[in-house]
């Protein structure tokens, strides 16, 4: 009995420290808006990179012709081709192929990685069928989605700032990734022009805008988290170039690196950060994204077993292994609706090696998942509210303008409690009137087609 009282105390403490009531979320949203201003004022002026993407026009729907896209940013890369038929024809035909990257290439040489990609792309181009048409005398054009931090220097060039997500390749940091890719395409005899270099948030924004002209921002909630939105170019003090014709500029916020004293951080978050590959960085991402939620839960459960023998007298050895409990596992346990929490029991057995667990212990596990997932979702909602505040769309306007946010990523797509909490929190924060004109839209894999559309929008034949 004492054991349960101690476990319940750990849970109560967790709940208190993870609390993100509306007042706190407003402080977070305000801090996001303030940091957005600071990041737009000067490079290095904020934890938010607020990177100028050089995308000054989003797809209009008039795009026409054959375009390719290449998406690199995780363990898989994807190639895609699309035949665009203009205003009437829209997407006439689309083909996509996903290829996994051999692990050894993620830590090999730049040359090898880009050779592998170019060779796969060359094969894909060779399979182009009758339904796709390239006008006589034209070069194929490609939109390149490269989801690592890049310092852009134009729509089609940018240097890698650092590798993340398990990639570590010598000699690429500081190099122009488009030039690297183009050289590899040449080596494979592929006559193709890299017309646009973007990341997944900007691809999602472009794909979202093509489907719905009221899309003004995109949020990624997957392995990591990030956001991009459309800013007025004259509201970007650090932009010294000519004002674009559209008056707009898409900003890649790199919001995963946001931090603020208002974020509800616990001892578990602090330890996770300290032991991570990038201590002190990506603090917001470490509270929200799919790479980390399961790991936070593991750390809480470990403390519960150490202090309250949650799973008996011995500490299950697997519970000490970092990242063994993934967010998809957590999500499956969290959504267990069986009366005896069968799935929770099975996961605890299969992943953590705990042979038998009481219903009481299983309930506690679900309660931990609930606290951690909802905190992340509520904080993500606060980030979106911050963007709406920056744009002045968080209060009732006179014109009843629609505001659409395109969201992509496995976390949002598959973790129902997370996505529902995010949406209900945003609704509550905005109030009935404003939230009736704010829409969150799942843009499933919009970034691939988005990159192709941006290649079309920035085609050299326009
Ligand atoms: P990436 O962000 O690497 O481009 P995805 O958008 O597909 O890729 O997101 C993958 C991430 O989504 C996984 O790392 C995982 O954290 C999360 N995820 C995938 N499936 C689920 C699920 N069923 N429940 C919760 N999270 C999931
Ligand atoms: Mg992705």
């Amino acid at each position: 009995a004492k054991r349960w009282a101690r476990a319940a105390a750990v849970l109560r403490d967790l709940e208190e420290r993870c609390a993100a009531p509306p007042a706190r979320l407003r402080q977070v949203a305000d801090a996001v808006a303030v940091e957005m201003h600071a990041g737009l004022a000067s490079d290095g002026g904020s934890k938010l990179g607020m990177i100028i993407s050089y995308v000054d026009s989003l797809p209009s729907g008039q795009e026409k012709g054959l375009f390719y896209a290449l998406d690199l940013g995780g363990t898989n890369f994807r190639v895609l081709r699309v035949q665009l038929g203009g205003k009437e024809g829209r997407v006439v035909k689309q083909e996509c192929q996903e290829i996994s990257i051999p692990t050894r290439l993620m830590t090999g040489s730049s040359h090898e990685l880009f050779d592998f990609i170019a060779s796969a792309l060359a094969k894909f181009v060779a399979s182009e069928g009758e339904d796709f048409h390239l006008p006589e005398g034209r070069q194929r054009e490609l939109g390149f989605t490269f989801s690592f931090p890049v310092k852009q220097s134009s729509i089609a060039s940018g240097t890698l700032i650092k590798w993340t997500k398990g990639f570590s390749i010598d000699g690429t940091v500081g190099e122009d990734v488009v030039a690297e890719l183009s050289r590899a395409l040449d080596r494979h005899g592929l006559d193709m022009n890299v017309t646009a270099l973007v990341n997944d948030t900007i691809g999602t924004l472009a794909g979202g805008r093509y489907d719905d002209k009221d899309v003004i921002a995109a949020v990624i909630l997957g392995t990591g988290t990030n956001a991009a939105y459309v800013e007025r170019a004259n509201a970007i003090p650090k932009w010294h170039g000519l004002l674009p014709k559209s008056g707009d500029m898409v900003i890649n916020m790199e919001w995963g690196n946001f931090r603020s004293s208002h974020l509800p951080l616990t001892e578990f978050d602090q330890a996770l950060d300290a032991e991570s590959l990038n201590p002190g960085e990506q603090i917001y991402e470490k509270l929200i994204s799919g790479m980390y939620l399961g790991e936070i839960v593991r750390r809480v459960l470990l403390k519960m077993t150490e202090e309250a023998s949650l799973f008996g007298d011995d500490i299950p050895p697997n519970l000490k292994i970092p990242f063994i409990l993934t967010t998809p596992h957590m999500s499956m346990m969290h959504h267990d609706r069986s009366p005896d929490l069968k799935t929770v029991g099975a996961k605890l057995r299969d992943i953590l090696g705990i042979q038998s667990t009481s219903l009481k212990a299983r309930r506690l596990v679900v309660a931990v998942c609930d606290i951690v997932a909802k905190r992340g979702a509520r904080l993500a909602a606060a980030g979106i509210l911050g963007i709406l505040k920056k744009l002045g769309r968080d209060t009732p306007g006179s014109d009843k303008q629609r505001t659409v946010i395109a969201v992509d990523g496995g976390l949002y797509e598959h973790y129902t409690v997370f996505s529902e909490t995010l949406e209900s929190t945003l609704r509550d924060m905005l109030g009935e009137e404003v939230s009736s004109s704010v829409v969150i839209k799942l843009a499933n894999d919009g970034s691939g087609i988005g990159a192709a559309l941006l290649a079309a929008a920035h085609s050299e034949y326009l």
Side-chain angles (χ1 to χ4, degrees):
K2 226 167 160 184
R3 180 149 80 89
W4 289 112
R6 280 201 300 267
V10 174
L11 186 73
R12 258 199 321 277
D13 190 52
L14 179 74
E15 193 164 20
E16 259 168 47
R17 289 178 197 280
C18 287
R24 184 174 276 249
L25 293 182
R26 280 191 206 292
Q27 290 172 316
V28 172
D30 287 339
V32 168
V34 166
E35 291 296 322
M36 289 172 77
H37 276 282
L40 292 173
S42 64
D43 271 336
S46 165
K47 290 277 172 200
L48 297 180
M50 303 301 285
I51 295 171
I52 291 171
S53 70
Y54 292 85
V55 172
D56 56 18
S57 57
L58 287 167
S60 63
Q62 313 271 1
E63 291 76 11
K64 228 174 174 158
L66 168 62
F67 294 91
Y68 276 78
L70 176 66
D71 184 335
L72 177 68
T75 47
N76 291 313
F77 80 93
R78 295 187 310 150
V79 288
L80 171 148
R81 71 177 142 246
V82 60
Q83 185 75 41
L84 299 167
K87 207 170 170 52
E88 302 304 319
R90 307 287 293 182
V91 174
V92 178
K93 189 167 168 119
Q94 181 183 345
E95 284 174 349
C96 181
Q97 195 184 339
E98 188 162 296
I99 300 139
S100 73
I101 301 173
T103 316
R104 62 177 177 82
L105 290 186
M106 295 166 65
T107 52
S109 75
S110 191
H111 200 96
E112 278 179 298
L113 176 68
F114 282 102
D115 263 346
F116 180 80
I117 291 167
S119 136
L121 183 60
K123 276 194 209 111
F124 183 65
V125 172
S127 72
E128 187 184 286
E130 297 278 294
D131 298 331
F132 297 92
H133 309 283
L134 187 72
E136 196 74 43
R138 274 206 189 189
Q139 208 181 11
R140 286 185 179 74
E141 293 184 290
L142 173 89
F144 184 19
T145 308
F146 183 75
S147 302
F148 299 94
V150 160
K151 168 92 178 130
Q152 297 267 162
S153 39
S154 73
I155 178 70
S157 63
T159 57
L160 178 65
I161 297 169
K162 61 180 177 186
W163 288 108
T164 56
K165 298 180 263 192
F167 280 74
S168 168
I169 293 171
D170 280 346
T172 323
V173 169
E175 295 294 315
D176 184 343
V177 291
V178 171
E180 298 255 352
L181 176 61
S182 300
R183 279 197 292 273
L185 297 181
D186 281 347
R187 289 198 292 275
H188 287 80
L190 200 53
D191 183 25
M192 193 178 256
N193 184 55
V194 184
T195 309
L197 171 68
V198 295
N199 75 2
D200 50 358
T201 54
I202 290 163
T204 300
L205 182 58
R209 173 65 69 90
Y210 185 73
D211 283 337
D212 185 333
K213 64 177 179 22
D214 293 326
V215 168
I216 51 110
V219 174
I220 302 292
L221 293 159
T223 305
T225 184
N226 191 11
Y229 75 106
V230 183
E231 185 56 276
R232 300 286 310 158
N234 61 13
I236 310 173
K238 72 178 176 185
W239 172 252
H240 299 300
L242 291 173
L243 282 188
K245 240 189 282 164
S246 66
D248 292 334
M249 180 59 77
V250 173
I251 299 291
N252 163 19
M253 291 177 65
E254 290 293 336
W255 88 357
N257 199 42
F258 173 71
R259 74 180 303 166
S260 153
S261 58
H262 300 302
L263 291 175
L265 289 173
T266 66
E267 60 184 288
F268 307 106
D269 304 305
Q270 267 143 7
L272 181 154
D273 175 49
E275 292 162 33
S276 70
L277 291 170
N278 50 354
E281 288 177 35
Q282 304 291 101
I283 299 298
Y284 189 55
E285 178 164 88
K286 286 169 182 162
L287 291 169
I288 290 177
S289 79
M291 180 158 174
Y292 303 102
L293 295 183
E295 170 64 4
I296 299 170
V297 169
R298 180 195 68 85
R299 286 170 179 271
V300 176
L301 296 183
L302 180 59
K303 172 154 178 178
M304 285 182 162
T305 49
E306 284 169 349
E307 300 213 338
S309 312
L310 181 62
F311 302 119
D313 291 334
D314 300 322
I315 294 170
N318 282 4
L319 195 49
K320 293 190 172 170
I321 303 175
F323 294 98
I324 193 169
L325 187 70
T326 66
T327 302
H329 293 144
M330 168 190 177
S331 155
M332 284 183 75
M333 295 197 290
H334 198 171
H335 293 117
D336 187 353
R337 293 288 170 267
S338 64
D340 55 345
L341 297 176
K342 210 183 316 164
T343 304
V344 179
K347 290 282 158 200
L348 293 173
R349 188 186 59 234
D350 299 346
I351 298 154
L352 299 178
I354 306 165
Q355 288 313 319
S356 75
T357 43
S358 65
L359 182 55
K360 222 167 169 179
R362 294 178 190 183
R363 285 207 181 109
L364 263 175
V365 171
V366 174
V368 172
C369 294
D370 198 61
I371 292 170
V372 172
K374 286 183 177 162
R375 177 184 63 165
R378 291 177 67 80
L379 291 173
I384 294 172
L385 181 61
I387 299 175
L388 297 179
K389 273 180 185 287
K390 171 70 180 71
L391 297 176
R393 290 181 183 237
D394 62 321
T395 49
S398 46
D399 48 354
K400 262 278 166 191
Q401 181 181 34
R402 239 173 121 244
T403 297
V404 184
I405 294 139
V407 181
D408 194 13
L411 177 67
Y412 186 81
E413 190 184 346
H414 300 296
Y415 203 148
T416 311
V417 172
F418 188 97
S419 57
E420 288 180 354
T421 303
L422 188 157
E423 283 168 42
S424 63
T425 304
L426 189 64
R427 252 198 323 274
D428 290 349
M429 302 292 295
L430 287 171
E432 213 173 304
E433 188 180 353
V434 178
S435 62
S436 68
S437 61
V438 173
V439 180
I440 293 190
K441 215 174 184 178
L442 179 68
N444 207 350
D445 284 334
S447 86
I449 187 144
L453 287 162
L454 286 169
H458 294 85
S459 165
E460 52 184 308
Y461 300 105
L462 285 180

